[in-house]
Structure formats: structure tokens, C-alpha cells
Amino acid sequence: MKVHEYQAKQLLAQYGVPVPRGSVAKTAAEAKKIAADIGGKVVVKAQVHAGGRGKAGGIKVVSSPEEAEKAAGEMIGSMLVTHQTSAEGALVNAVLVEEAIDVERELYLGIVIDGVIGMPVVMASEAGGMDIEEVARTSPDKIFKTYIDPGVGVHAFRARGISFDLNLEQAQRRAATETITNLYKLFEAKDCSLAEINPLVITTDGRVLAADAKLNFDDNAAFRQKDIEELRDTAQEDPLEVEAKGKGIENYIKLDGNIGCLVNGAGLAMAVLDLLKLAGGNAANFLDIGTINDVERVIQAIEIINSDPDVKAIFINIFGGMARTDVIAQGIVEAHQRMEIKSPVVVRLAGTNVDEGDRILKESGLNLIRAYSFKEAAEKAVAAA
Amino acid sequence: MSILVDKDTRLLVQGITGGEGSFHTRRCVAYGTNVVAGVTPGKGGTDLDGIPVYNTVDRAVAEMKANASIIFVPAPFAADSILEAADAGIPLIVCITEGIPTMDMVMVSRHLKYMDVRLIGPNCPGLLSAGKCKVGIMSGDIFLEGNVGVVSRSGTLTYEAVNQLTEQRIGQSTCVGLGGDPIIGTVFIDVLEMFEKDPQTEAVVMIGEIGGVQEQRAAEFIKGHMTKPVVAFIAGASAPPGRRMGHAGAIITGSSGRAQDKIAALEAAGVTISTSPAEIGTTMKKVLAANN
């Protein structure tokens, strides 16, 4: 899960990471008032869940409260298109108004979990303010990696080592060391999957500040991070994906083809996309219904696929293990009773309780396109779309 | 032979009285697995179809001599269950549970580093030695006893692959589902090494997917250490880039998470690639014919 920059900065501030003075505005008038309170030059930053805002006109430096009001008025309510958004862009509902800072140096500081090593890793670089993936690709030697043992946290010597990696002067080393330690505390306490400060700025007056920040959170830990869940902004997400999530279907991703897919398991769902492509078709979505043995969830998954106007055929491919094919079959039957399903439905069931699942479908008398092998099923789905 | 589980496996089920736990315990028993005990805190002294239930893993191990454990405990408590099994001295722990917070698994994997324990999963379908023992949730009836080892990061795609092998009358030795989480206890290399040493296994099917670098590491291992033929399929070649792989997560691996990079690495190691997920069985048939 992602949050806005202003929300990330509030969390950073709570954990003792210094951020520029500023506040979030939902209206142009609020932006004017915040700018007046700060005084002098301020930055108005569009709040969307995407990077690349600067080039897209989503970040403006202004010199008066009136100009802040005007910039905020233009941004709020508009769609901001960056290289990371869809073609329609992302809706701007709020702006962050902050003091403009005089930058001496721009650094990079980020924490992720390295799955291979099985530990969190702090990444630091003097090449801040740029696309860090580009830095990693072109000059990986410019990124310093420091692994953190979660049992003990960030040792002082490790944080200090990072501050030496970054060639910081003695006056800034202490502040940087605290920032690194505190960012890690936040990362661990809030179950982040990414905590990134880019750029971490050294100002001309010697302060160390998080000029931009990005926090992503582990969805698996949502049950124990209720306060983070409250920061969710569904306006930044695909409406069908939001609807799916509301119905307890976490693993739904809208794609640009016309075959609606209902599959169990992420690997098999990916293989279905691959196989449809090989058969000359294209999936309208990725949907992993998981191991849910609940007829209602099956019906809701079908409802989401059925409500997608792009869908011309529905492809249900279930290989039961934990998931039981009889439950899926029952869901297919009840979905047909509850709603009008506009597209042809191709069903392939295999695995746990498949005899019972086949019996339920056969006895329902529904006009389904049945398939028994994986390849045959995909070809029938492509033909039906 | 076979690897990891066989007729000598004495299985303990953690979370045996829950819905999934009891359903799959019965299916493991039906397959022939020797399920010796279950654990559900607070349900000690009861039983499931005559299988004794204990409050703690310690008691279950002391009284029933369990030497493997399968975990169905809900995600918020699953990491603790893994540690409880490890602490009780169980050498093989299979965690089926999906949705465990990554930070919990960071703690678990640090802890297990200092113990002589093999963890399979989490978020995995478990494992099965055909005709001998099932410690997982795969549908047992798709398996056929034979000589091909199967190792996979996916769950249901594994069933698909096994089903295709069986349709071609190619039997399996052991099938291991590694799990789809960022941090897992056992990776491709571990299982490939076991298959290479296992006299029953003659060839291996390996199913990978986009993200991470485990397939590339496996390719290096295969190049240097495997004499048995390997057939591989990598899922996600058509997945849109950037949707599922997090921003900075890709930094560590550069662009190596892409399917084409994994396929190239495996091909360079002499692995036969099945380009379609529907042709894993037929590809293996051709490879076996060419090797005989």
C-alpha cells in the first residue's frame, strides 16, 4: 500500500526525521494561508501516488501567498499525468505547501527488504534527486548497501559508516546518523516494504532534511497497522481494483485486454496471461482468488469481472489444492442466478473435489463452455472473446 | 528414495482443528501420510479422527516422536508457530500459511540460521513424494510414482505441471512447492542439490516466475553441479512491467526480475525451456526421449 508524500512526511516527523516546514491543503484558500504562515518562498506540490511530478508540472516554487493560492487552484481537481501514471493521469485532491529550501547537496537514502539475504538493507548514495533505478543500472558502485539485523536494529557504527559513505562533513554526520537510525525504526515499527528519502537534502545552512519521501507498506501486516490503513487514498487506485479490495479480493489488477480471468494462485494466474497471449488473446485482468473457500467470494469475483466493460469473454481456470473446485462451481452457478452475465463463460476445473465440481456445473444446466486441458481452455477463451 | 518426506515421516499438524487444518489433515492421511499428532493451543487432550491433539509442539514431539510439521495457523500467529516447531527440534517444517508479514519472516529466517532446521514456505503448497507421503495441500490423485522431480515457486501452477507429466505417463519422485513470498526457507538451489543426489530422480521440472534472482542462482548451480536434465517454465513473461515489482525492490536485482533474463540464464546453463505453460509435460517427454 502507498501513501501520499505529506502523509509519509508526517510519519517521518513523528519518528524524528527532520522534514521541511509545511502543511497539506485541500483548497486554494488553505494553501494561501499556509504559505502566509511559512512566509517567503514556498513550494506547492501536487499529492498523487506517482513519481515524476516535477517534470509534469506538479511541483511549483512560488514567492507569495497569492501565487501559492493560484498554483494550488490550478493543481487541485486536475489530473496530473506523469511517466508513472496511466494516460488519464492521477487526480490531485490535495497539495503540500512547504518552505522552499536552499540545497547544498542532494543524497539518496532508502530501506527495503532483500529477500535473498532475508534482511532489511539500507541503500545510500551521493547521487540523490535522480531516478535511483537508473543509478542502480548505470553505476551500481554509487549505491552503498548496509544490511541491518532486525534483532538488534541499526548499530551506531553502521549508521556512522553510512554517513562516511556519503562523504558528510562532521557537522552533518550526527544529524544524518540520527536520520538513518530513525528511518529504520519507522520502517520496522510500521511494517514498511519501502522507506525512501529522495532527495535527502543538505541545506546551505547545514541542515539535513527529507525533501521528498515515499513510504510503501506490507499489505500482509495491515491487520496490525490500523493507523496506516486509515491513510489509504482510494482516489489514487483503479476503481475496479478498489471495488475488488472492498469485496475481499486483494489480488485483482486491471489489464488492457478483453478476456476476464478468474484463476486460483498467482503463478497460475500469470501463466494464464502467458497462455492467452500465446493463443493470440489478451487478458482484461489478473485475478488470483487465492485459497478462499467461500461461495460468496466467487460470486463477487465474477461480478467484478462481469462489470468490466472491456470483457468479451470470461475464463475461469481453477486447479484445486487448498481451493475446492466444488465451491467454485457452486459460485459460478449462483452468480448466474444473481446477475446477468453478458459474456460467454469458459470453465476449466481440475484438482480437489473436481468430480463434485463437474457434477454441480452439469446439473445446473447452464450454457457454459467447458474445457478439460489447459491449452484447450485458453484456445476456447480466445475464440469466445 | 525420494527427497525430504517418505514412509518414515511422522507428521505433526499445527492448527489441526481449524477448517483448512482438519480438511487437509484428512487428505494427507488418505494419501498414506503417517500423521502422528496435532497441535492447537487450548484443544490439548482432544483428537481428530483418533489423532491426538496437544497444546504445545514440545509435548507432541515428546510423546509422538514427530519428525516433520505442517503449519495451517493463521498469518498473525504463523511465524510464532514456525519458531515453536524449530524450538521443539523438528527438523522439517512446512508452512502453508499465506499472508505472513515480511518483517515476521525476517525475524524467523535470522533465528533459523543458527538451527539445523529446513523450512519449506511459507505461502506454499507443501511437498509430496509420489506414492509415499504427502505433507501439503496438493490434490494427491494427480500424482504418479516415478522419476521426475518437480520444484516450483508457484502453488497451483505446480499442480498444472504435475498433471501434464502424469497425462504423459511420466511419474514423479518428489514435488516441492517453495512458496511465493519474498522470504522463503528453501530455494531452488537447495532442492536441485537434493534431486541431483537422489537416486530415484532422473530429471527435474523447475517452475519459476518473474521477480527476484533465485532462477538465475539456480542456473549457476545447474551449470556447475547438475548432471540430470532440467526442464523449466518461467511464469509472467506477458505480465505488465512495474505493476507488481515494487520500486526500490528492483534496485537490488537491477532488471534481473524479468522473465526473459531468467530464461536466458537458464538456457545458457543447458536447461530446456517450455515456452508455453501448457507444454511442460510434452517438453519433458521429448527431453527424456533424447536422454535415453
Side-chain angles (χ1 to χ4, degrees):
Chain A
M1 178 194 150
K2 295 175 178 174
V3 297
H4 286 296
E5 177 195 3
Y6 80 90
Q7 296 166 322
K9 283 180 169 170
Q10 284 168 358
L11 281 163
L12 287 175
Q14 272 175 36
Y15 277 80
V17 175
V19 297
R21 283 183 299 133
S23 189
V24 67
K26 302 276 167 80
T27 65
E30 277 174 31
K32 182 182 179 186
K33 184 175 180 307
I34 296 162
D37 289 347
I38 294 170
K41 270 204 314 191
V42 297
V43 191
V44 180
K45 305 174 87 176
Q47 298 297 290
V48 291
H49 287 183
R53 292 173 300 169
K55 280 181 192 157
I59 298 178
K60 291 212 168 101
V61 183
V62 296
S63 3
S64 70
E66 289 71 30
E67 283 179 45
E69 182 181 24
K70 183 167 174 288
E74 283 164 8
M75 287 180 200
I76 294 170
S78 73
M79 300 295 282
L80 186 70
V81 181
T82 84
H83 71 276
Q84 285 185 13
T85 66
S86 66
E88 301 95 75
L91 178 64
V92 182
N93 276 325
V95 295
L96 176 61
V97 183
E98 277 184 349
E99 60 171 321
I101 44 181
D102 293 317
V103 176
E104 169 97 21
R105 289 181 67 199
E106 290 191 321
L107 310 170
Y108 174 91
L109 187 63
I111 307 177
V112 292
I113 289 173
D114 180 339
V116 174
I117 309 288
M119 287 167 83
V121 55
V122 177
M123 294 176 295
S125 177
E126 290 187 77
M130 301 191 245
D131 182 353
I132 197 67
E133 287 188 330
E134 184 63 21
V135 177
R137 205 172 56 78
T138 54
S139 35
D141 54 310
K142 285 190 176 166
I143 298 177
F144 301 98
K145 293 178 185 173
T146 307
Y147 288 90
I148 305 300
D149 187 327
V152 291
V154 183
H155 283 299
F157 75 86
R158 291 209 193 281
R160 199 163 59 232
I162 295 166
S163 72
F164 279 107
D165 286 339
L166 292 173
N167 274 315
L168 292 175
E169 287 168 25
Q170 194 183 354
Q172 295 139 13
R173 230 178 280 138
R174 186 186 197 111
T177 301
E178 278 178 14
T179 288
I180 294 159
T181 309
N182 290 336
L183 185 66
Y184 179 77
K185 281 182 186 158
L186 165 65
F187 182 89
E188 190 177 312
K190 295 296 173 191
D191 282 298
C192 292
S193 53
L194 166 70
E196 187 178 72
I197 300 175
N198 188 23
L200 177 69
V201 160
I202 311 294
T203 62
T204 47
D205 56 357
R207 289 183 295 158
V208 177
L209 281 181
D212 196 359
K214 186 170 168 183
L215 296 178
N216 294 349
F217 299 89
D218 179 5
D219 291 327
N220 283 353
F223 70 87
R224 63 184 179 202
Q225 301 291 357
K226 303 283 186 224
D227 55 331
I228 299 298
E229 200 58 26
E230 283 170 17
L231 303 179
R232 181 181 290 278
D233 180 1
T234 51
Q236 301 294 320
E237 298 168 15
D238 184 282
L240 279 170
E241 289 178 18
V242 173
E243 192 191 336
K245 197 172 166 54
K247 290 178 172 174
I249 296 154
E250 304 279 337
N251 246 334
Y252 173 89
I253 296 170
K254 180 78 183 88
L255 301 171
D256 51 15
N258 62 4
I259 303 168
C261 300
L262 195 171
V263 187
N264 65 324
L268 188 58
M270 270 192 278
V272 162
L273 308 191
D274 296 342
L275 190 57
L276 287 173
K277 192 150 259 179
L278 287 170
N282 255 320
N285 65 275
F286 168 99
L287 193 162
D288 163 21
I289 196 164
T291 53
I292 297 150
N293 285 310
D294 173 356
V295 172
E296 199 55 37
R297 294 271 177 96
V298 179
I299 297 168
Q300 283 166 343
I302 293 173
E303 191 175 5
I304 287 158
I305 295 170
N306 193 46
S307 68
D308 179 350
D310 297 336
V311 166
K312 297 286 174 278
I314 298 176
F315 180 19
I316 300 174
N317 186 71
I318 302 293
F319 212 120
M322 195 92 141
R324 317 218 282 254
T325 51
D326 54 325
V327 175
I328 302 286
Q330 194 59 40
I332 295 170
V333 173
E334 289 187 28
H336 278 80
Q337 289 161 356
R338 205 173 302 175
M339 68 195 92
E340 186 205 348
I341 293 179
K342 294 161 288 191
S343 320
V345 182
V346 180
V347 184
R348 180 204 174 215
L349 302 178
T352 306
N353 290 6
V354 66
D355 294 338
E356 181 63 9
D358 277 335
R359 188 190 62 77
I360 291 167
L361 291 184
K362 194 174 248 173
E363 288 178 5
S364 73
L366 288 172
N367 184 22
L368 302 167
I369 303 170
R370 298 302 314 275
Y372 297 92
S373 90
F374 194 17
K375 190 159 182 248
E376 175 202 7
E379 284 165 356
K380 283 184 172 173
V382 172
Chain B
M1 290 279 285
S2 58
I3 64 167
L4 293 164
V5 294
D6 54 29
K7 287 286 178 198
D8 295 328
T9 299
R10 295 175 61 81
L11 186 64
L12 165 76
V13 181
Q14 290 174 261
I16 193 169
T17 56
E20 305 296 350
S22 56
F23 178 82
H24 288 287
T25 298
R26 290 184 172 117
R27 291 177 69 93
C28 286
V29 170
Y31 195 78
T33 307
N34 184 16
V35 180
V36 297
V39 166
T40 299
K43 296 269 176 74
T46 62
D47 72 286
L48 180 90
D49 304 345
I51 301 164
V53 177
Y54 295 86
N55 286 323
T56 67
V57 177
D58 243 354
R59 289 305 310 161
V61 171
E63 294 191 15
M64 300 308 295
K65 309 278 177 272
N67 59 16
S69 174
I70 186 167
I71 297 175
F72 291 100
V73 172
F77 319 107
D80 186 58
S81 295
I82 296 171
L83 294 175
E84 186 183 1
D87 186 69
I90 293 182
L92 176 67
I93 303 167
V94 180
C95 186
I96 306 298
T97 308
E98 180 179 353
I100 302 177
T102 308
M103 196 49 88
D104 287 6
M105 283 311 301
V106 167
M107 301 289 182
V108 167
S109 78
R110 290 302 288 159
H111 196 75
L112 296 191
K113 272 207 171 87
Y114 307 105
M115 305 178 88
D116 193 14
V117 169
R118 172 151 305 285
L119 170 67
I120 312 265
N123 188 13
C124 80
L127 64 161
L128 183 150
S129 289
K132 300 187 184 93
C133 180
K134 170 168 115 149
V135 180
I137 59 171
M138 308 93 156
S139 189
D141 52 11
I142 59 173
F143 288 84
L144 176 72
E145 198 167 350
N147 309 105
V148 171
V150 179
V151 59
S152 171
R153 273 172 75 185
S154 160
T156 48
L157 183 55
T158 315
Y159 316 157
E160 185 59 55
V162 168
N163 197 47
Q164 289 176 27
L165 291 172
T166 298
E167 277 174 356
Q168 299 294 326
R169 308 306 299 160
I170 301 168
Q172 304 91 39
S173 52
T174 302
C175 171
V176 184
L178 302 174
D181 278 1
I183 297 177
I184 50 177
T186 297
V187 295
F188 283 120
I189 295 178
D190 302 320
V191 179
L192 289 170
E193 191 174 12
M194 289 183 237
F195 279 142
E196 176 68 15
K197 286 182 186 155
D198 174 38
Q200 185 186 334
T201 303
E202 289 173 5
V204 177
V205 168
M206 170 183 157
I207 297 167
E209 57 188 53
I210 52 173
V213 293
Q214 293 300 354
E215 289 81 1
Q216 285 88 331
R217 296 190 143 206
E220 277 169 41
F221 177 83
I222 291 165
K223 204 171 193 173
H225 305 281
M226 290 261 324
T227 58
K228 298 175 182 179
V230 180
V231 167
F233 171 74
I234 304 296
S238 67
R243 276 313 300 266
R244 307 207 66 207
M245 283 179 283
H247 183 61
I251 292 177
I252 292 160
T253 63
S255 61
S256 56
R258 296 181 305 174
Q260 63 259 45
D261 298 306
K262 292 171 185 283
I263 288 168
L266 288 165
E267 275 183 329
V271 172
T272 308
I273 302 292
S274 172
T275 48
S276 163
E279 287 164 11
I280 299 166
T282 50
T283 305
M284 180 50 90
K285 189 170 193 175
K286 280 180 210 152
V287 166
L288 288 176
N291 276 271
N292 282 331

